Amino acid sequence: MSDDLIALAGNPNSGKTSLFNAITGARQHVANYPGVTVERKEGYYAYNGYNLHIVDLPGTYSLTAYSPEELVAREVLTTERPRVVINIVDASNLDRNLYLTLQLFELGIPVIIALNMMDVAEGRGMEIDAAELSRKLNVPVVPTVARVGRGKEELLAVAARIAKEGAGSSAPPQIPYGPDIDPVLAEMEAKISSAGLFTDLYPARWTALKYLEADEEIVVKGRAAAPELSAELEKMVEKVAEHLRKTLDSYPEGIIADYRYGFISGLLKSGVLKQKHEADRLYLSDRIDRVLTHRLAGPAIMALIIYGLYYFAFTGSDAPVRWLQGGFAALGRLIESSLGPGLLRSLLVRGIIDGVGGILAFIPIIIFIFLGIAFLEDSGYLARAAFMLDRVFRTFGLHGNSFMAYIVGGGIAGGCGVPGVMATRTLRSSNERLATMLTIGYMNCGAKLPVYALLIGAFFAKDKAQMMMLLTLISWSMAFLVARVLRSTVLRGPNTPFLLELPPYRLPTVRGLVIHTWERAWLYVRKAGTVLLAVSILFWALMNFPRLPASKKAAFDAQRRALTTELAGGANPTSASATPAQNNRIKSPPAQQAGNPAGSLEKINAAEAREALRYSVAGRLGIALEHITRYCGFDWRTNVALVGGVAGKEIVVSVLSTAYSMGRTGHQKDTPLGAVLAADPAWNPLVAFTMILFTMLYVPCVVSVVCLAKEAGSWRWALFSVVFNTTVAFTVAVLVYQVGRLLGIGI
Ligand code: GDP
């Protein structure tokens, strides 16, 4: 017969004493904990030949270090390590009582919930689904009425079983603490566990949380045990605290509490608690939720909100985008007029200004969308959207927590796959996590936006917001479809239950919105100034070398000479020996005007530029790829752009800008790329749409593939993603293009 310690924990007045007496009867004794006037009650109970040693912890609402009761409770739990904690919960007051439950989960000791006061709850017209609560929390839940001893036997049976066997596979959920806390928490947890700080006593995540909550006892102990690590952790906490103060006017402990209550609120609303009678008072958040998360109205409102966001972003950014495009064109002209022709000028104008400027011009759209997302996130609406989509996610083998990862990755256009992949850390099941990571690439990240903006602006200008809405729907449908396929094949396995957090609604602060928007926009600008700049230069070089061989160049020179001779004695001042670049500077009417010498000269120059591009490394690659890509309507220049897009999808725009500017003649050079594409015979709405779909679906950018490999812990999945996504993209592109052509749509 073994002697196993079982602890009773619960809020004051939850019925702990009643339950303890009902179990132990007279076999109990009371003493004080050393040094404090807190009673320690212990008792014994023999169950099925199994001797249970039960300790009744002082009643507490929390496990912080604010009162002697809390400190004692936590001391017993961590140093005496009970085999099981029976958590007595007042069923008539679930939202408040479960707060302690979540903290018990974080201590890593197996928990059983005694759902006490069931009679009171029923009397108040509450219908509590204990089985559902158990399923959602993944711990045993036993309904009890402690005053009359109802449920006692079953509770003890479960406690004895777990004390004997351990909690087995049942693991309570990990509570997510939102985009600000979670990454820091994960980092701190990793540091604590690799240094082994208190890991014999508490789980590393718990210690990290205590640092974030500025728990005096733990921080003081930490400083003594590991001064350096402790200083490092405190610095991390300080940084996130400062950030939260600035953006949300809150502090880590407050946010952590909000998320815990949000978690509970979501849990209770997802079928655990039904109120038969109307509650006396509905809180404001609840009242808003009645409308925004309504079964039918909710999704319709969500669609409207997202549509509104796109509309607002596209109309609001229309003028600033044009100003920026004009500004970059003027800058290009300035450099052209002040620098002599040659490689340097070509690099600056064609490579850098056309390349990076082509991307930066779309910054206003990105800022508007980021602003909208920051508003939805800060106000608490995104959590509601996850709540509504929960069922859908589960149908496709994903998890409710996948939602936030999708949103971060660009679920509403304008995120980034890298933090998106990292956001999947909140998923516990590795199959669900992988399925999410592998489909995040389908979301419309900020890098795809310039490509969409360019092509939508050029070919679907009348229906910008509708097009974005359609693309969002296609993204999500593809992600769901592919996730379902993966989860039924290579990633088969059971679904884990989803817990929803519904933090209270807040009115976002202007400062918070500005900071959140600025942080994201700045990341984007920085990327343009570094990676994109480097890749633009690389692609400019690939498009310029090797140069045309002397013989071909001579042929064009001869054509130019012939033209000038023909004009000999004519009024045109153009020099025959001028290089194409020099000639480009000459203001001239459109080339189509037959017989116009400058126009003809430009035609020759443009033909030479095109020939040179075809002759370059990039051109040859693009031409070689035409054998395959012609089935989806892409010509060699699009191919080069798409190859460049592997480095970052914005590069597609940058390479197209450079490629088309190299073949453009003087009067066209100030025309925005969109207008050039719209006028090009190789392009039409069908090609543009196919190109958008291909950009959306093909291999995620290099950085996110690397991140995926790291997070998945294997290059196999990264490689899988590269091959699989490109195959899917190609298949979809060919289908859309061929069917579109067959039906004569958009050609
Ligand atoms: P403690 O503060 O957690 O130890 O709670 P107690 O055991 O002292 O219970 C507080 C009050 O609730 C007492 O008046 C109990 O009789 C009553 N109580 C305890 N459990 C139940 C129950 O399941 N149903 C009802 N109706 N009352 C209960």
Side-chain angles (χ1 to χ4, degrees):
M1 219 158 74
S2 70
D3 186 307
D4 275 303
L5 188 64
I6 292 180
L8 296 188
N11 288 8
N13 280 320
S14 56
K16 251 156 36 63
T17 312
S18 310
L19 186 70
F20 183 70
N21 290 341
I23 296 174
T24 59
R27 288 162 306 237
Q28 52 171 281
H29 85 127
V30 181
N32 265 7
Y33 282 97
V36 282
T37 53
V38 178
E39 278 186 351
R40 180 182 173 106
K41 284 193 272 182
E42 280 173 277
Y44 293 88
Y45 184 79
Y47 179 84
N48 238 354
Y50 202 71
N51 204 12
L52 302 173
H53 173 188
I54 299 167
V55 55
D56 186 18
L57 299 178
T60 59
Y61 295 106
S62 168
L63 288 179
T64 45
Y66 289 130
S67 70
E69 283 80 9
E70 290 179 353
L71 280 172
V72 164
R74 149 169 145 181
E75 179 78 12
V76 173
L77 290 171
T78 54
T79 55
E80 299 183 30
R81 304 221 130 243
R83 301 275 290 183
V84 185
V85 181
I86 296 179
N87 175 207
I88 294 114
V89 163
D90 176 354
S92 68
N93 211 342
L94 268 181
D95 41 2
R96 187 137 68 107
N97 277 244
L98 287 173
Y99 193 77
L100 178 68
T101 313
L102 299 189
Q103 296 182 64
L104 291 171
F105 287 165
E106 280 168 344
L107 273 173
I109 303 169
V111 173
I112 301 170
I113 293 178
L115 205 51
N116 196 33
M117 309 255 190
M118 282 302 272
D119 54 334
V120 181
E122 275 159 26
R124 288 194 197 155
M126 297 165 155
E127 220 174 275
I128 298 170
D129 189 338
E132 182 67 10
L133 181 65
S134 166
R135 206 178 62 78
K136 288 256 158 73
L137 291 180
N138 213 13
V139 297
V141 175
V142 181
T144 60
V145 179
R147 203 164 56 173
V148 297
R150 201 169 90 197
K152 182 184 86 172
E153 289 298 318
E154 195 193 342
L155 189 64
L156 287 166
V158 178
R161 178 171 60 76
I162 292 185
K164 200 149 95 191
E165 298 165 4
S169 62
S170 87
Q174 189 167 326
I175 296 104
Y177 291 108
D180 290 309
I181 302 264
D182 273 341
V184 188
L185 184 59
E187 216 180 309
M188 292 172 69
E189 183 185 349
K191 281 189 197 293
I192 292 168
S193 76
S194 70
L197 179 67
F198 302 144
T199 41
D200 51 334
L201 291 175
Y202 330 114
R205 186 178 160 89
W206 188 82
T207 309
L209 272 171
K210 294 295 125 178
Y211 265 88
L212 281 162
E213 289 175 325
D215 183 287
E216 206 166 314
E217 196 206 5
I218 297 299
V219 175
V220 169
K221 266 168 57 177
R223 282 184 193 148
E228 264 174 48
L229 174 63
S230 187
E232 204 180 327
L233 296 174
E234 285 175 63
K235 200 172 282 158
M236 293 168 82
V237 173
E238 219 170 278
K239 207 169 136 206
V240 68
E242 172 69 15
H243 184 79
L244 289 173
R245 198 178 56 70
K246 278 201 295 203
T247 54
L248 299 175
D249 198 17
S250 185
Y251 49 98
E253 203 185 345
I255 299 288
I256 290 173
D258 273 0
Y259 269 87
R260 284 189 183 136
Y261 281 120
F263 188 92
I264 294 167
S265 158
L267 175 72
L268 297 182
K269 277 186 196 159
S270 65
V272 170
L273 174 66
K274 278 191 210 103
Q275 191 83 39
K276 268 195 249 157
H277 314 305
E278 198 63 33
D280 302 343
R281 193 155 69 96
L282 270 182
Y283 292 108
L284 182 64
S285 275
D286 291 328
R287 249 184 277 167
I288 300 176
D289 275 340
R290 297 210 132 191
V291 184
L292 291 189
T293 63
H294 184 270
R295 216 159 39 90
L296 298 174
I301 295 174
M302 182 163 73
L304 266 179
I305 287 178
I306 296 176
Y307 177 80
L309 172 66
Y310 291 150
Y311 183 79
F312 154 78
F314 274 95
T315 44
S317 62
D318 207 36
V321 167
R322 264 186 286 117
W323 299 331
L324 280 175
Q325 283 174 336
F328 283 117
L331 184 66
R333 274 196 305 275
L334 183 75
I335 295 181
E336 291 219 315
S337 60
S338 49
L339 272 183
L343 270 184
L344 177 66
R345 190 172 84 174
S346 164
L347 170 67
L348 287 178
V349 180
R350 306 271 174 270
I352 297 178
I353 296 182
D354 282 343
V356 178
I359 300 167
L360 282 181
F362 292 108
I363 274 274
I365 298 191
I366 286 165
I367 289 181
F368 273 96
I369 290 188
F370 283 170
L371 184 67
I373 294 177
F375 187 89
L376 296 183
E377 193 179 331
D378 290 3
S379 63
Y381 181 74
L382 280 188
R384 270 70 189 182
F387 181 88
M388 285 184 281
L389 289 174
D390 165 41
R391 215 178 272 272
V392 184
F393 272 90
R394 271 185 289 154
T395 313
F396 291 97
L398 292 164
H399 187 269
N401 284 352
S402 311
F403 176 78
M404 221 34 213
Y406 273 5
I407 290 293
V408 174
I412 302 173
C416 175
V418 174
V421 166
M422 292 203 285
T424 59
R425 286 183 188 165
T426 49
L427 292 158
R428 301 283 294 281
S429 136
S430 67
N431 282 347
E432 285 169 348
R433 184 164 180 222
L434 272 169
T436 312
M437 274 198 260
L438 291 170
T439 45
I440 276 183
Y442 292 149
M443 297 296 123
N444 297 314
C445 67
K448 293 178 192 169
L449 273 181
V451 186
Y452 296 175
L454 171 74
L455 296 175
I456 291 178
F459 296 96
F460 309 97
K462 278 212 255 12
D463 314 299
K464 287 180 183 163
Q466 285 94 320
M467 269 307 278
M468 273 313 293
M469 204 63 199
L470 175 68
L471 294 182
T472 307
L473 283 177
I474 295 177
S475 277
W476 283 77
S477 312
M478 280 305 292
F480 281 148
L481 207 73
V482 169
R484 185 65 267 173
V485 170
L486 293 174
R487 289 284 276 129
S488 339
T489 53
V490 284
L491 296 175
R492 220 170 309 149
N495 279 8
T496 50
F498 173 48
L499 284 147
L500 308 141
E501 324 115 54
L502 292 185
Y505 282 106
R506 309 162 179 267
L507 193 65
T509 61
V510 174
R511 214 176 126 86
L513 290 181
V514 169
I515 294 177
H516 274 150
T517 306
W518 169 248
E519 281 171 346
R520 292 179 189 151
W522 175 240
L523 274 186
Y524 192 83
V525 174
R526 210 174 56 187
K527 186 172 164 197
T530 52
V531 185
L532 301 186
L533 177 66
V535 179
S536 293
I537 294 176
L538 172 75
F539 267 79
W540 169 85
L542 292 178
M543 285 188 266
N544 274 278
F545 297 99
R547 320 276 294 164
L548 269 187
S551 60
K552 289 209 171 165
K553 187 140 184 35
F556 283 106
D557 282 344
Q559 281 184 34
R560 272 189 289 266
R561 252 193 316 277
L563 186 69
T564 346
T565 328
E566 198 180 299
L567 296 166
N572 197 291
T574 310
S575 151
S577 61
T579 64
Q582 271 172 329
N583 283 318
N584 277 347
R585 273 159 59 198
I586 295 164
K587 284 265 166 283
S588 59
Q592 296 88 298
Q593 291 178 16
N596 182 301
S600 309
L601 194 60
E602 285 193 341
K603 267 190 184 164
I604 300 173
N605 293 340
E608 181 180 4
R610 252 195 307 278
E611 196 52 38
L613 186 57
R614 291 180 71 95
Y615 193 76
S616 71
V617 175
R620 290 178 212 196
L621 177 66
I623 291 167
L625 284 173
E626 272 185 349
H627 291 298
I628 329 171
T629 60
R630 63 196 168 94
Y631 296 106
C632 39
F634 302 159
D635 80 347
W636 58 285
R637 281 183 283 200
T638 307
N639 294 346
V640 178
L642 289 170
V643 170
V646 175
K649 300 216 166 160
E650 308 91 331
I651 295 289
V652 170
V653 174
S654 150
V655 174
L656 280 180
S657 301
T658 309
Y660 278 87
S661 79
M662 295 200 328
R664 261 186 273 174
T665 51
H667 71 282
Q668 287 182 317
K669 278 200 306 166
D670 288 346
T671 322
L673 178 61
V676 175
L677 296 184
D680 195 298
W683 285 85
N684 57 42
L686 179 62
V687 173
F689 188 66
T690 312
M691 165 88 169
I692 289 178
L693 288 185
F694 192 86
T695 308
M696 175 195 290
L697 303 174
Y698 84 125
V699 44
C701 72
V702 172
V703 191
S704 62
V705 172
V706 172
C707 181
L708 196 152
K710 251 180 31 198
E711 292 292 317
S714 137
W715 279 97
R716 258 192 21 223
W717 284 115
L719 191 71
F720 175 84
S721 144
V722 171
V723 175
F724 180 79
N725 283 19
T726 311
T727 312
V728 168
F730 184 70
T731 314
V732 170
V734 170
L735 265 175
V736 168
Y737 183 69
Q738 296 300 341
V739 171
R741 256 176 35 136
L742 217 65
L743 303 179
I745 304 169
I747 49 176

